[in-house]
Amino acid sequence: WGWQENNAEKALEALKEIQSEQATVIRDGQKLSHFPSKDIVPGDIVELRVGDKVPADMRVLKLIGPTLRVEQGSLTGESEAVSKTVKAVAEDVDIQGKKCMVFAGTTVVYGHCICLVTQTGMNTEIGLVHLQIHEASQSEEDTPLKKKLNEFGEVLTAIIMAVCALVWLINVKYFLTWESVDGWPRNFSCCHSRRLPAVITTCLALGTRKMAQKNALVRKLPSVETLGCTTVICSDKTGTLTTNQMAVSKLVAMGPRTNTIRSFNVGGITYNPFDGKIQDWPLGQMDTNLQMIAKIAAVCNDAGIQQSGQHYVASDYRLRQH
């Protein structure tokens, strides 16, 4: 089961890849394109573009373009990107109403802006969420299995004590030994064993192994039994627990003749440029409609990717027109 818990910890570590590591910061009139996000402090000026992950809670100072939209589903659960503005809002407004703020952990999906850092680290909105989760984990209640084991243990202990008392009365010298010191019995000792915890741990470990075969990671062994007692599961439909990475699954284009539409299936689910392709794409024989789609995808595009370890992630590289 230790190996199983270790795999779960590795999976949680992989989630950290969605956090911003670098940002474009303006300090002393100089633009630092690859500034470490961990060194950003309140008062810094940060430039955000499409595809950037917001490194801290920030106030929008200037929009470079007509619109700024941010995907903040990982924080608020909203299924659609939220438009941002430079107009001030009331101080006591809820987080969804803070249209002039961008929050750490969210992603810019449209637009270009300049922002002022207001909060960093655990003082950000997402940091407060993590803090609440940590506090909740420190005050966890006993699982149904643990409660039943405690009750069973109490009954079992009473029965064992009664049996032991009876056996000791019948043949005490085989179960209880002592030494006589100055006429008084000293250094009592008895023989006993405790197998129940080992049996329970083994059963739970087998449960985690079966769950691992179904691609389900379990951090704590009692969670296996707790899941078995679950009658209702409430889940968020907005994909809050995903990595905020989207991939195209189908390309739809006008046909070569009027009032005709055709579609092409697109493979691949990651940012790896070698993962997937457009099926049945007519290479070298594209008509006017397909040529226009390819032109728009190549020219009207400021996204970029780079390899990080064994994965590909969004980068700060920008395609520029000359």
Side-chain angles (χ1 to χ4, degrees):
W1 61 270
W3 170 82
Q4 177 67 27
E5 290 187 350
N6 184 48
N7 281 349
E9 293 294 340
K10 289 183 178 179
L12 294 176
E13 287 293 329
L15 293 179
K16 294 181 179 179
E17 293 183 2
I18 69 174
Q19 299 297 326
S20 172
E21 296 182 356
Q22 296 179 337
T24 301
V25 177
I26 302 175
R27 280 188 179 180
D28 300 327
Q30 297 183 349
K31 182 183 294 187
L32 308 175
S33 300
H34 300 282
F35 191 84
S37 297
K38 63 181 181 180
D39 294 334
I40 292 177
V41 297
D44 275 337
I45 303 298
V46 176
E47 180 181 5
L48 295 177
R49 293 174 177 267
V50 175
D52 285 346
K53 295 175 182 176
V54 181
D57 286 3
M58 300 186 290
R59 172 74 156 82
V60 180
L61 298 179
K62 180 181 179 181
L63 296 181
I64 305 177
T67 306
L68 175 67
R69 298 180 65 83
V70 177
E71 171 58 58
Q72 56 185 35
S74 58
L75 178 62
T76 63
E78 294 168 283
S79 59
E80 296 183 356
V82 179
S83 296
K84 298 296 181 177
T85 178
V86 297
K87 296 180 180 179
V89 297
E91 184 177 357
D92 58 348
V93 72
D94 58 19
I95 188 172
Q96 286 86 354
K98 296 181 178 179
K99 302 296 185 180
C100 61
M101 296 288 296
V102 291
F103 304 101
T106 61
T107 305
V108 178
V109 297
Y110 186 87
H112 181 190
C113 67
I114 303 296
C115 302
L116 173 67
V117 177
T118 58
Q119 301 289 347
T120 61
M122 295 302 293
N123 293 325
T124 61
E125 293 291 344
I126 193 67
L128 296 177
V129 173
H130 287 306
L131 182 60
Q132 293 173 356
I133 294 175
H134 177 71
E135 292 176 350
S137 65
Q138 299 300 315
S139 58
E140 291 182 350
E141 296 182 356
D142 290 343
T143 64
L145 174 62
K146 190 172 182 180
K147 293 179 180 178
K148 291 181 180 180
L149 286 178
N150 290 338
E151 296 173 358
F152 176 69
E154 293 175 358
V155 176
L156 186 61
T157 300
I159 296 175
I160 292 176
M161 290 181 64
V163 173
C164 288
L166 179 61
V167 173
W168 287 352
L169 291 176
I170 297 175
N171 200 349
V172 66
K173 64 180 180 180
Y174 292 108
F175 295 93
L176 183 66
T177 59
W178 63 85
E179 297 178 1
S180 180
V181 179
D182 298 331
W184 294 91
R186 306 285 186 183
N187 301 327
F188 291 92
S189 63
C190 61
C191 179
H192 65 280
S193 62
R194 298 178 63 187
R195 297 176 57 84
L196 180 61
V199 174
I200 296 299
T201 301
T202 301
C203 293
L204 292 178
L206 293 175
T208 60
R209 183 177 181 181
K210 289 184 178 180
M211 293 186 68
Q213 294 174 354
K214 301 294 184 180
N215 297 324
L217 296 177
V218 178
R219 295 186 63 187
K220 297 182 180 179
L221 290 180
S223 301
V224 178
E225 193 276 340
T226 304
L227 183 60
C229 296
T230 302
T231 56
V232 178
I233 298 178
C234 299
S235 60
D236 189 349
K237 67 179 180 61
T238 59
T240 301
L241 298 181
T242 62
T243 58
N244 281 332
Q245 294 183 356
M246 294 188 296
V248 176
S249 61
K250 181 173 293 187
L251 172 63
V252 179
M254 297 297 295
R257 296 184 301 273
T258 305
N259 298 327
T260 60
I261 297 179
R262 52 192 161 164
S263 62
F264 302 90
N265 292 325
V266 183
I269 58 175
T270 68
Y271 287 164
N272 189 335
F274 305 103
D275 179 19
K277 64 179 181 179
I278 304 177
Q279 300 178 7
D280 301 325
W281 185 261
L283 292 176
Q285 299 179 349
M286 294 188 297
D287 54 39
T288 304
N289 290 326
L290 296 183
Q291 290 179 11
M292 180 58 66
I293 292 177
K295 182 177 180 180
I296 293 174
V299 178
C300 186
N301 186 345
D302 59 358
I305 57 173
Q306 66 181 10
Q307 189 170 3
S308 175
Q310 297 181 349
H311 306 280
Y312 283 83
V313 297
S315 68
D316 293 330
Y317 174 75
R318 310 292 180 203
L319 297 176
R320 299 183 181 277
Q321 301 181 34
H322 298 281

